[in-house]
Amino acid sequence: MSQPIAPIDRGAGFNADCPLFRKLGREDLQHLAAMARLRVLTERQNLCLQNSPSGRLFNIASGAAMVERISSAGRRQILGFVFPGDFVGLSNSSHFEYGIKCLNDVSAYEIPRQKLYALAEKSARLKENLSSIRDLIQAMTFDQIFLLGQKRAHERLCFFLLQMLDRLPGARPEHIQLPMGRQDIADYLGLTTETVSRSLAKLKREGILSLPVSQAIVIKDMAAVRELADIS
Amino acid sequence: MSQPIAPIDRGAGFNADCPLFRKLGREDLQHLAAMARLRVLTERQNLCLQNSPSGRLFNIASGAAMVERISSAGRRQILGFVFPGDFVGLSNSSHFEYGIKCLNDVSAYEIPRQKLYALAEKSARLKENLSSIRDLIQAMTFDQIFLLGQKRAHERLCFFLLQMLDRLPGARPEHIQLPMGRQDIADYLGLTTETVSRSLAKLKREGILSLPVSQAIVIKDMAAVRELADIS
DNA sequence: CGATGCTTTGAATCTCGTCAAGATGTGTGG
DNA sequence: CCACACATCTTGACGAGATTCAAAGCATCG
């Protein structure tokens, strides 16, 4: 009995306040645990490759990764960053439209799509969770479209920072430790590394941020960041 | 018996090769017809307003509309254009994150969300259709994110034209009759009307397009358009 | 320590946005 | 049917913002 439950108690993704597992009964969790395979990867490794067959989904348990899409022309767009509790791969397309690349050591549960869907048919709660994950992803992509279509470089950065505050575990206004580099931020916001750097410098000059080291950011004027980031 | 079936035979959206109704049996179609309400609107009217309660979904039967999102700062981003057979509103959020504004005379079926979902529980085929619509929308939004993040103005225009070729009824390379104005195109592509105009002029100068009148576009060099639009 | 990779800064360039004017087109009323 | 007003679209001049190319600063890690 304790055998299928074991992974439940170990991974952050399986017991945290995570959209997929929220409010699930013990039995559902056991079924999920039984079908999930824990994968452990390190920096730069791919959880899945763009255009590879997509019969599985991922639930990030620890670490950080980015969902990226690379065109044949070699341009890269980061569709999103994912953190513990995040769920990726929710669609029925036969192939992944993106790759998922680790930013640091990552552990993730890989779940066969068909099995998950079959279980969802039997668990109304799980089905609800899947729905709300889909809705959340859709809302986030709409935000990103608005951001890319309408906002300036420094505004995009502020939006990005608020998003990190909201989603990156451990991030506080007084100290955001970024797991990704400037190039990744640039490819997420539709900018270049130089523009990211310059925009950060501008926000620093204006007293809105400070940058103790390049990988860490301190928000000194939260109201200003919010105002610049606003897309509502 | 013919009474609930009547709207099925009338509206384009209810019998065309439309994702929602594809391969549905007679009985499912009858149930759908019974719960759908046909709404008829004219130019500039809204099928739904941004932030209004979202207990219903829409299936466009005729005409064209745009899905738009306006920020409190007054900036507008068009999330997409919709045409007969298109389905909008597929989410469980309590309020619409966008408004749907008609570009010309539109008729659309309005379907209560809960009723549709309940029917989907009983019809595997309908459920599949809903899933594939969701997937299609997600794929399209990913494309748009890539477009806005990575492509130049004239490339965005080419992408837009290919999209219209693909989706706008009656559009052929030799003649695309656009139902939307320059401002709408601009807000869709994250540009200004002037830039849209200039980019079209540029493509015309290069012999790729011709513009008999402002609302019509002729693609003279399809290969060039494809190459410029490419995001794969 | 030097080597490597990432980040920042600088200068030149380019794309796109802004502002303003002119052109085109549409609908209305005389 | 023409003339006028109003919308939209196009074009031009200019400026701001972002990219590009290049070099210099800073880390980390052998």
Side-chain angles (χ1 to χ4, degrees):
Chain A
M1 184 59 85
S2 72
Q3 179 195 352
I5 305 180
I8 295 183
D9 299 325
R10 239 180 295 149
F14 247 84
N15 53 16
D17 179 34
C18 148
L20 181 60
F21 306 111
R22 190 163 294 155
K23 295 186 191 168
L24 287 187
R26 181 180 186 74
E27 203 180 331
D28 286 339
L29 284 171
Q30 282 180 2
H31 284 125
L32 276 172
M35 65 178 69
R37 185 166 78 93
L38 183 63
R39 291 186 56 188
V40 177
L41 300 95
T42 61
E43 199 176 332
R44 280 161 211 270
Q45 284 189 308
N46 273 76
L47 206 45
C48 71
L49 291 169
Q50 185 172 341
N51 298 323
S52 65
S54 64
R56 56 232 154 84
L57 309 100
F58 305 96
N59 190 58
I60 309 295
S62 70
M66 51 194 174
V67 180
E68 63 182 9
R69 185 169 155 169
I70 298 172
S71 74
S72 52
R75 302 217 61 169
R76 181 179 74 148
Q77 175 68 40
I78 306 281
L79 296 172
F81 297 103
V82 290
F83 303 107
D86 286 346
F87 199 64
V88 200
L90 207 50
S91 95
N92 299 297
S93 55
S94 60
H95 295 265
F96 286 113
E97 289 139 339
Y98 44 76
I100 305 176
K101 183 170 280 180
C102 300
L103 288 162
N104 47 35
D105 288 355
V106 165
S107 60
Y109 292 98
E110 183 175 305
I111 305 173
R113 192 165 66 197
Q114 287 316 323
K115 285 189 187 175
L116 180 65
Y117 289 178
L119 181 59
E121 285 311 305
K122 287 185 252 168
S123 164
R125 190 75 230 179
L126 177 58
K127 184 183 262 185
E128 248 175 74
N129 287 354
L130 288 175
S131 265
S132 67
I133 289 171
R134 254 193 287 263
D135 290 346
L136 184 67
I137 291 173
Q138 198 180 57
M140 287 185 62
T141 60
F142 285 164
D143 284 353
Q144 203 180 347
I145 287 173
F146 189 94
L147 186 82
L148 294 173
Q150 306 297 330
K151 303 284 271 182
R152 309 192 169 297
H154 63 283
E155 296 172 325
R156 297 187 198 185
L157 266 169
C158 287
F159 180 88
F160 165 75
L161 291 176
L162 288 190
Q163 211 169 276
M164 287 305 109
L165 269 187
D166 197 44
R167 312 193 58 238
L168 174 62
R172 295 160 292 125
E174 316 88 64
H175 184 82
I176 306 175
Q177 184 73 28
L178 297 174
M180 71 292 283
R182 296 291 187 263
Q183 186 66 61
D184 300 326
I185 299 174
D187 288 344
Y188 178 57
L189 299 177
L191 304 168
T192 60
T193 52
E194 293 95 329
T195 301
V196 169
S197 223
R198 273 189 259 269
S199 299
L200 285 173
K202 173 187 160 78
L203 292 168
K204 181 181 174 181
R205 222 179 305 125
E206 292 168 347
I208 295 172
L209 306 178
S210 78
L211 309 162
V213 296
S214 77
Q215 295 284 48
I217 291 180
V218 176
I219 299 183
K220 295 170 74 178
D221 187 346
M222 194 62 176
V225 172
R226 267 195 239 279
E227 170 132 7
L228 287 166
D230 186 60
I231 59 167
S232 65
Chain B
M1 184 58 86
S2 73
Q3 179 196 355
I5 304 178
I8 294 183
D9 299 324
R10 241 179 296 153
F14 247 84
N15 53 15
D17 180 34
C18 147
L20 181 60
F21 306 111
R22 189 164 294 157
K23 293 185 191 170
L24 287 189
R26 181 179 187 74
E27 202 180 332
D28 285 340
L29 284 172
Q30 282 179 2
H31 283 125
L32 277 172
M35 65 177 71
R37 185 167 79 94
L38 183 62
R39 292 187 54 190
V40 177
L41 299 94
T42 61
E43 200 176 333
R44 281 160 213 270
Q45 284 190 307
N46 274 77
L47 206 44
C48 70
L49 291 169
Q50 185 170 341
N51 298 323
S52 64
S54 65
R56 56 231 153 87
L57 310 100
F58 305 95
N59 190 59
I60 310 295
S62 71
M66 51 196 175
V67 179
E68 64 182 9
R69 184 170 155 168
I70 299 171
S71 74
S72 52
R75 302 216 60 168
R76 181 179 75 148
Q77 174 68 40
I78 306 280
L79 296 172
F81 296 103
V82 290
F83 303 107
D86 286 346
F87 197 66
V88 200
L90 207 49
S91 95
N92 299 296
S93 55
S94 61
H95 296 264
F96 286 113
E97 289 138 339
Y98 43 75
I100 306 176
K101 182 171 282 181
C102 300
L103 288 162
N104 47 35
D105 288 356
V106 165
S107 60
Y109 292 98
E110 183 175 307
I111 304 172
R113 191 164 69 196
Q114 287 317 322
K115 285 190 186 173
L116 179 66
Y117 289 178
L119 182 59
E121 285 311 305
K122 287 185 252 167
S123 163
R125 190 74 232 179
L126 176 59
K127 186 183 264 186
E128 250 176 72
N129 287 354
L130 288 175
S131 265
S132 68
I133 290 170
R134 256 193 285 264
D135 290 345
L136 183 68
I137 292 172
Q138 197 180 57
M140 287 184 63
T141 59
F142 285 163
D143 284 353
Q144 203 181 346
I145 287 173
F146 188 95
L147 186 83
L148 294 174
Q150 306 297 328
K151 304 285 270 180
R152 308 188 169 295
H154 64 283
E155 297 172 326
R156 297 186 199 185
L157 249 315
C158 288
F159 179 88
F160 165 75
L161 290 176
L162 287 190
Q163 211 169 277
M164 287 305 109
L165 269 187
D166 197 44
R167 314 194 56 240
L168 174 63
R172 295 161 292 124
E174 317 87 63
H175 184 83
I176 305 174
Q177 183 73 29
L178 297 174
M180 73 291 285
R182 296 291 187 264
Q183 186 66 61
D184 300 326
I185 300 173
D187 288 345
Y188 177 57
L189 299 176
L191 304 168
T192 59
T193 50
E194 293 94 332
T195 300
V196 169
S197 226
R198 272 189 260 268
S199 298
L200 285 172
K202 173 186 160 79
L203 292 168
K204 180 181 175 182
R205 221 179 306 125
E206 291 168 348
I208 295 173
L209 305 178
S210 78
L211 309 163
V213 296
S214 76
Q215 295 285 38
I217 291 180
V218 176
I219 299 183
K220 295 171 73 177
D221 186 347
M222 193 64 175
V225 172
R226 266 195 238 280
E227 170 131 6
L228 287 167
D230 186 59
I231 59 165
S232 64

